[in-house]
Amino acid sequence: MSDDGHDGDGDHGRGGDHGRGSDHGRNDRRGDRRYGRGTDGGAGGGRNRSAGHPPSRGRKPQGARSGQQRGRGAGTGGGQQRHSADPARQVAYDVLRAVTDEDAYANLVLPERLRDRRVGGRDAAFATELAYGTLRWQGTYDRIVGACVDRALSELDPPVLDALRLGTHQLLALRVPPHAAVSTTVDLVRRRISEGAGRFVNAVLRKVERHDLDGWTAELAPTRDDDLAGYVAFRHGHPAWIVRAFRDALGPEADGDALEACLRANNEPAPVALAVRPGRGEVSELLDAGAEPARWSPIGATLTSGDPGRLAAVRSGRAGVQDEGSQLVTLALAAVPVDGPDERWLDMCAGPGGKAAVLGGLVGGQGGRLLAVEQHVHRARLVEQALSGDPSEHEVLVADATEGPWPDEDFDRVLLDAPCSGLGALRRRPEARWRRTPADVGELRPLQAALLLEAARSVRPGGVVAYVTCTPHLAETATIVDDVLRKRDDMERIDARPYLPGVPDLGDGPDVQLWPHVHGTDAMYLALLRRTG
Ligand SMILES: C[S@@+](CC[C@H](N)C(=O)[O-])C[C@H]1O[C@@H](n2cnc3c(N)ncnc32)[C@H](O)[C@@H]1O
């Protein structure tokens, strides 16, 4: 797991539960069998061709599948299932089931399931592509599956729907031969659910197979000219409201191609970015261990293969996993000149502590101290861990930072890495785009504004505040800053761009918006504000 708050810790918002989503309750519908009532009729007349499948990876001899009704085995891969010859698909299906039924986070569940089923190497890579790809494209696949069945998707048994999504991904996005995509999915459904469900899935996937993604786009999506957001939402597997938010944030000059490039980047795996903790580690150590230099961050490196946990620097806490965008915005705050003392730094929303670990080292290097505040105890513990071994003076405080228990004007620099929708880190959270809603953004706004007002109260005249989010949504970024500046005429925006030296394409300023398709980072937003009086 990353130690960066934006890198897949599963919570960009209010510090919820780890390992499963807590923000959107789901009905547990296990055991509710609503796929085709014992036949394949629900698919609208598809033939049951399962008996005629060509041999493919993962098929067992017929005799191994006696007693097909697997009862509760349709769940998330409990221990009773028989060993399968197709471990990658089993793992991917386990992950989809956990995400659907338990609101789990795929990036946390996948490594567990790979370990449980002892899947490694190329199978692990294939399982990851299957699970992450299926989750990313879920909305598009649901539209396609919906066009191939004669009932509402909500009437399908969730384990069956997950299997249909998995089969659809193989048919439309991977180079799996169609017969193998269908037969392996049907085989999996027979083992994990029932013969009847297998027939149903067979019939539906035979219909999905009729078109490729372009064909389905032509059939189901609006045209690009009529409705750009609707078209690219379907074509790139995003909800339309998120597409519109990205389009607004990209700005009026950005054309449809830029929007599509941005969405395409959200569908690519993020690189494993590392940062050394100032005062504790050296980039050279990461490079000696096989990492490559980061493009711009002087404390960064990129691991092109392998597990970061194997690096001694990471294991010892001299370095951590942290998106390069997170590094750049943190370093920018530290680089702005301030007149007078520069000894007291505040990180208002510190959990799990990636940026605090960088700030602690930097302020410690000049003899100052860091106060790291986090509202949730379990996340405050992670901040402690991130800062443990840091020789500088620091304190971790569990508190609500909207009501900080410190005097006015107490700090020279303040980082507000605000709880946000996390739409800038969709690369890392494959299911997140379908869980988030516009209402989440609306709910976060008052908290973001209250925290920024508190940051303004906390910084001394001449001191500087960094307002950071891992979302480009304008309702969480520039408009929050605008609102607060209207209330605080003793705060002014600073042009942030010079404090990200060498980073190209930073727009017209004064705020900075990084982009996955332009900078290869998460879509981090940074506004720098100086207190003038
Ligand atoms: C985006 S994350 C911060 C990531 C962190 N800066 C890092 O780099 O690791 C936002 C954090 O703010 C915390 N938080 C939310 N509301 C808060 C509040 N009112 N006071 C303090 N912390 C809060 C959340 O629990 C979450 O850990």
Side-chain angles (χ1 to χ4, degrees):
M1 184 175 85
S2 153
D3 56 0
D4 186 319
H6 301 294
D7 287 0
D9 62 310
D11 176 24
H12 302 273
R14 284 140 284 198
D17 192 10
H18 282 250
R20 65 198 62 230
S22 54
D23 46 356
H24 296 277
R26 305 258 161 121
N27 295 332
D28 183 354
R29 294 185 293 197
R30 269 175 293 183
D32 176 11
R33 308 215 169 282
R34 281 172 288 181
Y35 54 84
R37 294 176 189 87
T39 69
D40 55 357
R47 279 188 298 141
N48 173 15
R49 294 171 25 184
S50 57
H53 288 153
S56 64
R57 200 152 61 110
R59 263 178 89 70
K60 283 187 173 182
Q62 289 289 325
R65 293 201 307 276
S66 59
Q68 302 289 351
Q69 186 69 38
R70 308 290 304 162
R72 302 190 68 78
T76 55
Q80 296 310 309
Q81 277 122 25
R82 146 186 352 180
H83 178 73
S84 166
D86 191 2
R89 288 182 175 86
Q90 295 275 5
V91 167
Y93 185 64
D94 289 345
V95 172
L96 302 187
R97 299 300 305 121
V99 168
T100 301
D101 266 6
E102 301 163 23
D103 270 355
Y105 295 116
N107 65 320
L108 301 184
V109 171
L110 178 71
E112 285 170 17
R113 296 297 193 273
L114 290 171
R115 224 176 13 250
D116 293 350
R117 289 188 181 270
R118 295 197 182 83
V119 175
R122 292 178 61 175
D123 276 343
F126 185 48
T128 304
E129 167 49 44
L130 284 171
Y132 280 21
T134 304
L135 289 166
R136 287 188 179 113
W137 286 85
Q138 182 171 302
T140 298
Y141 294 163
D142 282 1
R143 295 266 304 279
I144 294 168
V145 170
C148 296
V149 298
D150 61 1
R151 68 197 69 175
L153 288 193
S154 58
E155 289 177 32
L156 295 183
D157 195 9
V160 171
L161 179 56
D162 278 336
L164 287 168
R165 291 165 173 160
L166 188 61
T168 301
H169 184 57
Q170 292 171 69
L171 284 169
L172 300 185
L174 303 184
R175 289 201 197 122
V176 177
H179 65 83
V182 175
S183 64
T184 53
T185 309
V186 170
D187 190 45
L188 186 139
V189 170
R190 284 170 155 174
R191 291 165 191 277
R192 300 284 290 266
I193 309 175
S194 71
E195 276 289 338
R199 284 194 295 277
F200 177 77
V201 165
N202 182 59
V204 178
L205 291 181
R206 295 291 174 192
K207 292 186 159 201
V208 171
E209 196 187 335
R210 285 193 313 221
H211 298 302
D212 60 11
L213 185 60
D214 287 341
W216 281 114
T217 305
E219 187 152 320
L220 298 177
T223 65
R224 204 172 188 275
D225 288 344
D226 283 350
D227 175 4
L228 177 66
Y231 168 83
V232 298
F234 186 95
R235 192 64 190 72
H236 298 287
H238 284 64
W241 75 271
I242 292 182
V243 172
R244 285 191 289 273
F246 276 78
R247 188 185 55 193
D248 292 346
L250 282 164
E253 290 102 66
D255 56 15
D257 292 346
L259 181 61
E260 290 199 73
C262 174
L263 303 184
R264 237 180 254 120
N266 286 339
N267 290 340
E268 294 296 323
V272 178
L274 304 170
V276 290
R277 272 82 187 254
R280 283 193 269 172
E282 298 291 338
V283 171
S284 57
E285 185 182 356
L286 300 177
L287 304 185
D288 290 346
E292 291 179 358
R295 276 149 309 170
W296 306 294
S297 168
I299 60 170
T302 305
L303 201 59
T304 51
S305 65
D307 173 8
R310 77 183 156 80
L311 302 186
V314 173
R315 280 204 308 278
S316 69
R318 296 193 299 281
V321 177
Q322 187 174 48
D323 177 64
E324 190 176 3
S326 291
Q327 299 171 41
L328 292 170
V329 296
T330 310
L331 295 172
L333 168 65
V336 183
V338 295
D339 287 335
D342 189 12
E343 295 158 357
R344 293 184 52 76
W345 293 11
L346 169 67
D347 182 350
M348 291 177 73
C349 289
K355 296 182 191 66
V358 173
L359 291 176
L362 291 174
V363 72
Q366 55 194 55
R369 67 180 272 130
L370 175 74
L371 174 63
V373 181
E374 167 57 49
Q375 188 169 29
H376 297 278
V377 174
H378 66 283
R379 289 171 76 83
R381 275 196 212 106
L382 298 175
V383 182
E384 303 249 16
Q385 276 169 26
L387 282 165
S388 76
D390 187 323
S392 66
E393 267 195 76
H394 56 259
E395 184 187 348
V396 178
L397 179 68
V398 178
D400 176 357
T402 60
E403 299 175 340
W406 48 82
D408 294 352
E409 303 177 10
D410 204 25
F411 296 96
D412 305 307
R413 295 180 198 262
V414 176
L415 172 65
L416 170 53
D417 188 16
C420 73
S421 62
L423 299 184
L426 295 182
R427 305 181 298 174
R428 302 175 192 281
R429 301 268 317 276
E431 73 285 348
R433 66 191 71 177
W434 307 111
R435 282 201 178 140
R436 286 286 175 216
T437 67
D440 295 332
V441 174
E443 282 168 24
L444 283 160
R445 272 182 65 85
L447 175 61
Q448 291 160 342
L451 285 163
L452 188 50
L453 280 169
E454 186 66 1
R457 177 190 78 79
S458 306
V459 73
R460 69 164 170 86
V464 64
V465 172
Y467 178 73
V468 169
T469 63
C470 186
T471 173
H473 199 306
L474 293 175
E476 302 181 80
T477 59
T479 61
I480 294 285
V481 178
D482 294 343
D483 287 355
V484 167
L485 289 184
R486 270 193 289 276
K487 292 182 183 142
R488 295 284 312 213
D489 60 6
D490 57 351
M491 300 287 290
E492 67 180 14
R493 269 186 164 104
I494 304 170
D495 187 350
R497 294 170 297 170
Y499 304 106
L500 286 80
V503 182
D505 299 316
L506 293 179
D508 298 335
D511 306 346
V512 160
Q513 178 62 64
L514 299 174
W515 292 104
H517 65 295
V518 178
H519 304 102
T521 63
D522 290 344
M524 304 291 300
Y525 165 84
L526 166 70
L528 290 173
L529 310 174
R530 189 185 301 282
R531 176 115 177 231
T532 52

